[in-house]
Amino acid sequence: MWFTQHKANFISSINKEGTITSHPIPTLQAGVMGITTASNGSIWFTEKSGK
């Protein structure tokens, strides 16, 4: 499962064993807000306040 954290500069995933992996976003102060997966498995997310 993928998730974001408000005002964090990364998206994260958690597997069935509970291991969390964070993936940094290159945009400073991105303000990642939402995340979804496409039918081909790619991850899409929005940035609220990238600088």
Side-chain angles (χ1 to χ4, degrees):
M1 175 172 45
W2 289 88
F3 62 94
T4 65
Q5 294 183 33
H6 184 63
K7 295 189 179 182
N9 215 43
F10 55 85
I11 59 176
S12 299
S13 60
I14 186 169
N15 64 20
K16 292 178 182 180
E17 292 76 31
T19 303
I20 297 174
T21 305
S22 295
H23 308 273
I25 305 299
T27 308
L28 295 176
Q29 300 176 358
V32 179
M33 294 294 292
I35 193 166
T36 191
T37 55
S39 60
N40 66 359
S42 61
I43 305 297
W44 291 82
F45 61 90
T46 59
E47 295 180 5
K48 181 179 178 185
S49 57
K51 295 184 179 192

